[in-house]
Amino acid sequence: MSLTMFWFRQNNLLQKIMRIISIIAALVLSMSILGCGNEKSEGNSAQPVQKVEQEKVVSDPKTDKGVGPITSITLGEIDPALVEQGKALFTSKCSACHKIDKRFVGPPLKGITEKRTPEWIMNMILVPDKMVAENEEAKKLLAEYLAPMANQSLTEEEARALLEYFRTEK
Amino acid sequence: MKSIIKTFALLFTIFSLTIACAPSEKGGNQGAISGNAAEKVYVAPGELDEFYAFVSGGFSGQLAVYGLPSGRLFKVIPVFSVDAEKAWGFNEETKPMLNTSHGFIPWDDSHHPDISQTAGELDGRWVFINGNNTPRIAKIDLTTFETTEIIEIPNSAGNHSSSFVTENTEYVVAGTRFSVPYPQRDMPISEYKGNFKGALTFISVDPKTGGMDIAFQIMMPGFNYDLSHPGRGASHGWFFFTTYNTEEAHSLLEVNASQNDKDFIAAINWKKIEEYVKNGGGTKAPANYAHNVYDEHTHTATSTMKKEVLIVNPADVPGAVYFMPTPKSPHGCDVDPSGEYIVGSGKLAAELTVHSFSKMIKAIEEKKFDGDAYGIPILAYDAILAGSVKQAGLGPLHTEFDGLGNAYTTFFISSEVVKWKLGTWEIVDRKPTYYSVGHLMIPGGNSRKPFGKYVLAMNKITKDRYLPTGPEVTQSAQLYDISGEKMELLLDFPTVGEPHYAAGIAADIVAKNSKKIYKLEENKHPYAVKSESEAKVVRNGNEAHIYMTTIRSHFAPDNIEGIEVGDKVYFHVTNLEQDYDVPHGISIIGANTSELLIMPGQTETFIWEPKQVGVWPFYCTDFCSALHQEMQGYVRVSAKGAGVPLKFTLDGDPLKMP
């Protein structure tokens, strides 16, 4: 715009007319440039932005089951065979990023079953991508730890075994 | 006045901008491209192609995987040439794949990919491809898209009439282009005639594992065996090989091998020879050739030298081999989907010759022979001829079929693809190529059931078709729609290396079997570590073996001390990831080799021999995550004999159970 203004420093009638034309032209130009985009322009558009009243999600880690394939798990007595299986899986598939007692790439897992529901834990193992995208608690963890949890392609049975192991690490 | 001009200039700019905003017509009239060609090859972002095209790289030695109709390049599968990007031939695991009786060979010339078949139809399990220069046949597994087996071909040279499969993949063949002394020995070149032989090798393929083994070699007269194709349907059990240089010239072949007015297509009844061999026929002869196999579980190749091969003299198996006279220097010899027609492309002939399989059988029964060559009967030309395509073009090269009664032949000299009708031999259409087309490919075109929708023409020369890139310019492939009466040129796309030959298949046959990860628990690599707690460094004399793991986004261990100048340091790196599409890479400053590129669940090894004292970084070379830049580590290198204790840690701690 400043360049356009520069052209019209001299003050005579013709130039005044030209100036008006040029302002109109510049306006049309800017509109046509804006009009070229297919994407909805956000923020600076003249239309009023419709405010969607977002419901504040209050999550309680003690009841939050997360999102994913696991909706309900009933826990019985601790199964020692399953614990052993879970422990072995933990060593091979998880321990590169999680320690039991120490904050590492991911959070320490001691007492995890007291902080989270069994369903939440298993969903986090099975569908970490979905969890960090859709679950408030998982989002908070990502914001804190920054490294997104890796999907290790475990089966539901394997995730269940891990859960059993975590129950013994209180 | 100036400002008036400027104002009008501004208005004009606005006008043109407005015009530019209007949706433009798709396609447009661009030279040979007409109508909605762009629409036909447009595969929208996120959508998938309809066909895989496996296009050989010629002198690049590799096999490129493209999608059709888009022409998008997905992967270059390293086969016969080293590939630093994928560590092929650089890491310790794949070096044995390139072993031969001549030692480690880092390059070859890859020519004719062919896809495995069941009952004459493509089954999409493996692709076979030949190395031309140092004769070898490779097998690529289509669950991993990796080369998993390479077998060297003894008594052969210029392995060109290869690597085509029979209709149940009973055999893949490897025919020699250059005849050589048999047995190989020190002798005057001038004594070629009668002393040089052309080996046609039949490699059996295990129907379950795909394991290759040389079943027998037919020791043919010393001609040049150029291309071959299997019989199918009625002609299943036969294999056809074109020959040139039946003059047996050994110098200035462009003149001396163009003396006879006809060469031959050799018709081989391999079922008969198979039976002969099964009954104890043939001679076991000493040989020396490499058989290299990559094991998906150890992630490691082994090379075994084989010492014997079974030789069959065609004269000993009457009725197994015949010569079909074919006008001068036939290149392609292509069998139609029914198995009745064998098209011989005499590249110096004026017309395209088509032989009839049923006539051939009749001529054999009626003994309509026209003499013999080295005891092999020559069939009477007129008795076996089905017909010929007149004035088809100049320099016919290769024919494929659409399964609807049409054949498509490339003409190298006149740069065109010609469509003609089987049976009536009339020409239906011709379209130019840009330029000097070699082979062409219809997905499934060498099978009983072609997918007759597209033909891909592969050009040797492009000249003015692309932006220039110095003296060496790209080579190209061109895609034509063949679903209508007339062919329609849709797309030109540049290729990797020389697009020598290709095989194509419907994507849905292959895509569903594509592996996503290697399971960590199935990893049997001797230096694999299945968890960080097993990671370690072990010294053995001046060798140090680092058992290392990777996961987003760190190595374990990532601080290593106690390495000395003069050590041979092995990085054995296991990728602990079990998620699709999360490879990690690694290299260290001064490594005299390539990076590693390790797929989830895989272990690979490179050797580093540090020459300078210091603390040297290594890092992840494949962008793996948001914290990829943090994925790094250090190795402390001390002077020889410094006695710094061996130490390996992660986050300051020794590696141990969690």
Side-chain angles (χ1 to χ4, degrees):
Chain A
M1 206 57 132
S2 60
L3 194 64
T4 321
M5 299 305 276
F6 173 77
W7 297 342
F8 303 100
R9 284 248 173 94
Q10 290 160 324
N11 197 11
N12 61 42
L13 186 62
L14 177 65
Q15 286 188 338
K16 268 187 183 165
I17 295 166
M18 293 319 298
R19 184 174 175 173
I20 292 163
I21 294 174
S22 125
I23 288 168
I24 293 165
L27 272 172
V28 176
L29 172 63
S30 49
M31 280 168 75
S32 71
I33 288 168
L34 278 177
C36 256
N38 278 327
E39 304 294 321
K40 276 185 213 164
S41 58
E42 280 170 28
N44 57 357
S45 96
Q47 288 183 343
V49 177
Q50 219 177 351
K51 270 200 174 175
V52 179
E53 200 62 44
Q54 267 209 318
E55 262 184 70
K56 183 111 181 148
V57 182
V58 186
S59 58
D60 175 3
K62 292 226 165 109
T63 56
D64 181 6
K65 295 187 174 186
V67 287
I70 309 299
T71 52
S72 175
I73 287 283
T74 316
L75 298 178
E77 288 288 299
I78 287 180
D79 173 353
L82 203 56
V83 170
E84 278 314 300
Q85 193 197 335
K87 193 173 178 184
L89 277 166
F90 180 76
T91 305
S92 66
K93 302 286 171 72
C94 316
S95 68
C97 297
H98 291 280
K99 307 296 170 199
I100 296 299
D101 297 312
K102 176 185 165 185
R103 178 190 166 114
F104 205 53
V105 179
L109 296 176
K110 196 164 194 77
I112 182 75
T113 53
E114 287 168 341
K115 285 184 232 147
R116 310 268 181 211
T117 65
E119 294 84 358
W120 191 96
I121 294 170
M122 285 179 68
N123 283 328
M124 195 65 200
I125 294 168
L126 293 168
V127 287
D129 303 344
K130 191 175 168 68
M131 284 287 280
V132 296
E134 297 174 22
N135 180 266
E136 290 306 315
E137 285 296 310
K139 280 184 200 173
K140 274 191 230 161
L141 282 172
L142 178 59
E144 185 185 347
Y145 285 86
L146 300 172
M149 180 158 147
N151 185 337
Q152 288 291 75
S153 300
L154 297 174
T155 63
E156 286 187 18
E157 288 69 32
E158 288 170 324
R160 179 65 188 83
L162 279 166
L163 175 70
E164 203 70 354
Y165 166 59
F166 295 150
R167 291 175 74 195
T168 65
E169 291 284 1
K170 287 186 184 171
Chain B
M1 201 55 210
K2 233 180 182 176
S3 52
I4 296 175
I5 294 167
K6 279 177 181 163
T7 306
F8 278 108
L10 193 61
L11 280 169
F12 181 75
T13 310
I14 294 160
F15 179 70
S16 15
L17 269 169
T18 316
I19 296 281
C21 269
S24 57
E25 292 257 344
K26 272 186 181 172
N29 236 347
Q30 297 159 17
I33 309 250
S34 61
N36 57 351
E39 219 167 72
K40 286 184 178 175
V41 297
Y42 182 67
V43 177
E47 287 182 11
L48 304 178
D49 279 282
E50 194 181 347
F51 293 97
Y52 281 104
F54 297 94
V55 182
S56 73
F59 49 74
S60 88
Q62 317 296 45
L63 181 67
V65 188
Y66 296 88
L68 295 182
S70 72
R72 297 182 295 186
L73 174 65
F74 303 143
K75 183 176 185 180
V76 178
I77 303 172
V79 186
F80 296 113
S81 296
V82 295
D83 180 350
E85 176 193 322
K86 302 182 182 77
W88 182 253
F90 286 99
N91 65 21
E92 295 308 299
E93 288 75 10
T94 59
K95 279 179 185 169
M97 289 303 281
L98 301 179
N99 187 42
T100 72
S101 63
H102 307 272
F104 178 88
I105 293 187
W107 170 89
D108 212 312
D109 183 14
S110 65
H111 272 238
H112 312 120
D114 201 20
I115 299 168
S116 57
Q117 299 189 9
T118 301
E121 294 180 19
L122 303 187
D123 61 23
R125 300 172 75 192
W126 306 295
V127 178
F128 298 91
I129 188 165
N130 54 320
N132 193 59
N133 182 54
T134 301
R136 285 169 285 173
I137 298 287
K139 185 185 73 196
I140 290 110
D141 186 324
L142 290 186
T143 63
T144 58
F145 286 66
E146 300 278 355
T147 306
T148 54
E149 194 171 358
I150 295 181
I151 193 162
E152 191 181 357
I153 313 298
N155 306 318
S156 183
N159 174 33
H160 197 272
S161 41
S162 323
S163 45
F164 304 101
V165 299
T166 54
E167 85 169 17
N168 291 301
T169 320
E170 294 97 336
Y171 297 99
V172 52
V173 305
T176 193
R177 175 165 143 218
F178 308 125
S179 284
V180 285
Y182 176 74
Q184 197 45 282
R185 61 191 179 277
D186 178 9
M187 63 170 282
I189 299 168
S190 58
E191 290 169 21
Y192 181 117
K193 226 171 221 184
N195 289 313
F196 282 36
K197 298 283 179 209
L200 304 181
T201 306
F202 281 68
I203 301 158
S204 61
V205 179
D206 186 293
K208 258 203 181 133
T209 65
M212 298 192 288
D213 190 21
I214 296 181
F216 51 85
Q217 287 195 307
I218 307 169
M219 215 41 87
M220 296 284 285
F223 309 152
N224 291 31
Y225 296 85
D226 203 12
L227 273 168
S228 67
H229 271 99
R232 57 179 59 96
S235 54
H236 176 55
W238 289 78
F239 225 102
F240 304 94
F241 293 80
T242 42
T243 71
Y244 66 102
N245 190 24
T246 50
E247 297 86 349
E248 297 181 73
H250 53 79
S251 184
L252 196 65
L253 265 66
E254 63 178 322
V255 175
N256 296 327
S258 302
Q259 300 300 309
N260 301 343
D261 70 328
K262 287 192 180 65
D263 290 302
F264 302 125
I265 288 176
I268 311 277
N269 186 336
W270 59 261
K271 280 231 160 137
K272 201 160 226 172
I273 294 174
E274 182 182 66
E275 204 183 302
Y276 168 76
V277 165
K278 209 180 271 174
N279 294 326
T283 315
K284 281 182 181 158
N288 187 33
Y289 58 100
H291 183 206
N292 311 329
V293 181
Y294 183 85
D295 183 313
E296 194 182 301
H297 297 299
T298 61
H299 302 287
T300 303
T302 47
S303 179
T304 313
M305 294 312 294
K306 295 203 152 186
K307 299 292 181 188
E308 204 174 65
V309 71
L310 189 71
I311 303 289
V312 173
N313 178 356
D316 295 340
V317 198
V321 183
Y322 297 92
F323 284 135
M324 308 162 88
T326 304
K328 198 54 218 164
S329 299
H331 191 63
C333 103
D334 303 295
V335 181
D336 85 306
S338 75
E340 165 62 10
Y341 297 119
I342 303 126
V343 183
S345 303
K347 62 187 184 225
L348 305 176
E351 48 188 57
L352 209 58
T353 307
V354 186
H355 295 302
S356 152
F357 176 72
S358 52
K359 281 189 173 179
M360 181 194 93
I361 294 297
K362 197 157 170 262
I364 292 169
E365 284 166 3
E366 295 171 0
K367 296 199 176 353
K368 286 189 176 160
F369 301 141
D370 204 358
D372 72 281
Y374 293 99
I376 295 167
I378 300 169
L379 293 158
Y381 179 69
D382 293 332
I384 58 170
L385 189 71
S388 55
V389 186
K390 307 260 190 277
Q391 293 176 330
L394 298 174
L397 204 140
H398 180 205
T399 303
E400 290 229 325
F401 308 89
D402 62 5
L404 304 165
N406 301 302
Y408 299 75
T409 304
T410 48
F411 290 83
F412 179 77
I413 298 171
S414 52
S415 286
E416 57 188 340
V417 178
V418 174
K419 175 183 179 180
W420 51 276
K421 267 195 163 41
L422 286 161
T424 66
W425 325 120
E426 65 191 302
I427 291 166
V428 180
D429 189 25
R430 57 175 74 235
K431 283 285 180 301
T433 64
Y434 306 92
Y435 306 93
S436 300
V437 61
H439 289 280
L440 83 176
M441 181 273 281
I442 292 173
N446 172 36
S447 78
R448 280 199 201 187
K449 202 178 136 194
F451 307 88
K453 192 168 176 184
Y454 301 109
V455 64
L456 188 72
M458 287 159 273
N459 301 316
K460 312 290 186 195
I461 291 167
T462 55
K463 284 200 169 119
D464 52 2
R465 296 290 288 184
Y466 299 95
L467 287 175
T469 52
E472 198 207 354
V473 293
T474 188
Q475 302 184 55
S476 82
Q478 288 185 283
L479 187 74
Y480 298 80
D481 180 345
I482 56 166
S483 57
E485 175 81 356
K486 301 284 178 191
M487 295 177 276
E488 185 190 357
L489 176 59
L490 300 178
L491 181 70
D492 252 20
F493 61 92
T495 58
V496 176
E498 181 216 345
H500 188 89
Y501 192 100
I505 184 168
D508 56 7
I509 300 174
V510 174
K512 61 178 188 285
N513 300 323
S514 187
K515 204 179 258 293
K516 291 189 162 68
I517 59 164
Y518 295 102
K519 284 190 178 150
L520 202 53
E521 50 271 28
E522 291 172 5
N523 182 331
K524 297 195 167 55
H525 191 292
Y527 290 93
V529 276
K530 308 285 182 73
S531 77
E532 271 189 8
S533 60
E534 297 167 28
K536 60 189 172 185
V537 182
V538 177
R539 177 175 280 286
N540 178 15
N542 74 332
E543 280 186 6
H545 291 268
I546 304 172
Y547 297 64
M548 185 179 272
T549 64
T550 67
I551 196 157
R552 280 162 288 176
S553 299
H554 63 273
F555 296 98
D558 68 358
N559 281 198
I560 298 164
E561 300 194 353
I563 301 298
E564 297 180 354
V565 169
D567 280 349
K568 194 170 184 181
V569 183
Y570 288 76
F571 283 77
H572 306 286
V573 188
T574 302
N575 183 353
L576 294 178
E577 303 277 359
Q578 291 288 275
D579 198 1
Y580 191 24
D581 199 12
V582 193
H584 290 287
I586 182 174
S587 191
I588 189 163
I589 185 168
N592 296 104
T593 185
S594 78
E595 64 156 358
L596 299 179
L597 184 62
I598 316 151
M599 297 303 127
Q602 200 176 30
T603 304
E604 291 190 7
T605 304
F606 77 94
I607 294 172
W608 179 53
E609 294 176 88
K611 291 165 192 75
Q612 296 172 42
V613 164
V615 178
W616 306 106
F618 58 88
Y619 71 102
C620 179
T621 53
D622 183 5
F623 205 105
C624 59
S625 69
L627 297 168
H628 165 71
Q629 291 299 84
E630 281 72 11
M631 195 163 172
Q632 63 168 68
Y634 288 104
V635 179
R636 174 180 170 187
V637 178
S638 309
K640 193 161 183 66
V644 174
L646 200 60
K647 191 175 157 197
F648 44 95
T649 56
L650 173 64
D651 198 24
D653 293 336
L655 295 153
K656 59 171 172 53
M657 286 300 287

